Amino acid sequence: MLARLARTVPALCRAVHTQQPASTAAALELIRSQPSHYIIANFVGRKYILTPRDVLTVPRLRDVKVGDVLTLDEIHELGSREYTLRGNPTISPSRVRVQATVVEHTKGKMEFIFKKKRRKGYQKTITHKQPYTRLRIGEIEIPIESSS
Amino acid sequence: MLRGTLRSFPANGHAAFLPQIRKLVFECCDRWPSSETTRNYLFTRLVGLARDNPHVEIVVRQRVHREPIVRGFYINNRDKVIPLNGLSLAEITQKVHLLLDSSGAKIKPLKRRTVESNTESVRGIWSGLHADRPDL
């Protein structure tokens, strides 16, 4: 019984200082107070966990030029070390702003696809280079809401 | 903590974006017919290209009795060379845009590298000594 009590004490301590914040603004204030953040954002139909300064590689985006800055508008989750804000289904872009800069349009390594049908004299090699677009994620901005 | 780990890594595009290509050099022969389409490109489309890309230095050189090439020089001191013989005008434009869009880095397999990050994990790394003891 003492062992069971000893196990519940840390859980109780944790419950005391992690109360649900009153409003979204309070939750964002808690997250903003911590040094590093991450987001889970939807980009070109896929979800990625992104932090500032990392490079995202997606299949080639044809309507975008090198140097263009894109704003991520489908952010599902914003988190820090101890707090997480989950959108329903997304967080409004007025609460969190993340931009990504197109760094380059490249191609991947050459792939060799070999096809053969045995005893039929049919074989061929297809060479293929998949084009990609690479984006650099900018800072995660959580603007301070000015009460109007 | 080692002194070598206290360095910062370049992150082009994070705060400011610098185009990675610095110079494009077109080399073609004045006489040989293999340079015909390249000469046509230089006379018709080169000035527009230079106007659209003011950050690139464009140089035209003679390459006597050789096949025409275009060479792109990048900020990381690498260069990419593309031969232009046997290509049509549209294909030459495509190759030039390939050079303009590239960053000069070596071609590497990108199929599995979706997110490349140097940031430490935001939520920290799980430690068995600081987690709840499992109830079995």
Side-chain angles (χ1 to χ4, degrees):
Chain A
M1 190 181 123
L2 268 173
R4 225 183 304 133
L5 259 177
R7 256 180 262 138
T8 54
V9 164
L12 281 168
C13 292
R14 233 178 288 125
V16 160
H17 71 81
T18 49
Q19 296 141 1
Q20 285 278 337
S23 63
T24 320
L28 287 169
E29 190 58 50
L30 279 171
I31 295 177
R32 200 186 300 118
S33 66
Q34 303 221 287
S36 58
H37 311 107
Y38 70 91
I39 52 161
I40 295 182
N42 209 316
F43 191 76
V44 199
R46 281 175 293 277
K47 283 205 193 133
Y48 303 99
I49 302 178
L50 300 169
T51 48
R53 306 189 90 208
D54 52 351
V55 180
L56 176 64
T57 308
V58 293
R60 174 77 61 93
L61 306 169
R62 302 189 73 87
D63 46 357
V64 149
K65 289 200 300 236
V66 172
D68 286 353
V69 180
L70 312 171
T71 311
L72 303 178
D73 55 355
E74 263 191 73
I75 298 175
H76 291 265
E77 195 174 304
L78 161 71
S80 64
R81 197 194 144 87
E82 268 140 40
Y83 307 105
T84 312
L85 180 72
R86 220 182 315 155
N88 190 11
T90 55
I91 305 176
S92 149
S94 59
R95 309 275 197 188
V96 195
R97 214 175 303 129
V98 186
Q99 290 185 323
T101 311
V102 179
V103 171
E104 61 168 340
H105 291 304
T106 32
K107 293 189 187 177
K109 206 167 164 188
M110 182 76 90
E111 294 163 17
F112 297 91
I113 303 149
F114 182 66
K115 299 191 176 193
K116 178 176 175 166
K117 287 208 192 292
R118 51 186 184 171
R119 297 181 296 276
K120 307 299 171 197
Y122 166 75
Q123 70 174 37
K124 63 179 178 181
T125 316
I126 298 172
T127 49
H128 170 67
K129 265 188 178 175
Q130 180 70 22
Y132 294 100
T133 301
R134 308 194 87 199
L135 306 116
R136 175 82 65 177
I137 310 295
E139 283 295 337
I140 299 174
E141 290 162 7
I142 312 170
I144 300 170
E145 201 177 305
S146 54
S147 53
S148 50
Chain B
M1 205 188 281
L2 298 171
R3 188 176 62 156
T5 60
L6 294 174
R7 56 167 292 197
S8 70
F9 295 91
N12 187 30
H14 171 67
F17 173 70
L18 276 174
Q20 293 291 299
I21 181 162
R22 61 175 178 86
K23 180 153 69 167
L24 265 182
V25 179
F26 290 86
E27 295 184 32
C28 69
C29 179
D30 283 343
R31 282 176 55 196
W32 275 19
S34 57
S35 298
E36 178 74 47
T37 326
T38 313
R39 287 195 295 269
N40 191 2
Y41 179 87
L42 295 179
F43 289 136
T44 52
R45 306 215 186 156
L46 191 65
V47 177
L49 179 83
R51 205 172 287 126
D52 291 338
N53 298 283
H55 55 278
V56 186
E57 178 191 343
I58 297 183
V59 174
V60 175
R61 285 184 76 189
Q62 202 182 55
R63 196 171 188 240
V64 177
H65 298 161
R66 298 277 187 280
E67 310 300 330
I69 58 165
V70 59
R71 205 184 282 262
F73 291 88
Y74 297 90
I75 289 178
N76 60 355
N77 288 330
R78 290 191 74 248
D79 68 331
K80 279 187 161 192
V81 185
I82 300 180
L84 299 174
N85 54 326
L87 299 181
S88 64
L89 256 183
E91 286 167 330
I92 293 180
T93 318
Q94 199 184 35
K95 295 295 181 195
V96 169
H97 281 294
L98 194 150
L99 288 180
L100 288 171
D101 290 337
S102 171
S103 76
K106 261 191 175 175
I107 300 265
K108 55 185 180 185
L110 288 175
K111 218 170 197 175
R112 298 213 162 80
R113 295 166 191 236
T114 327
V115 179
E116 285 183 44
S117 179
N118 279 329
T119 323
E120 290 162 5
S121 86
V122 172
R123 290 174 62 179
I125 299 170
W126 181 84
S127 151
L129 300 172
H130 300 91
D132 286 339
R133 194 192 160 134
D135 272 329
L136 297 166

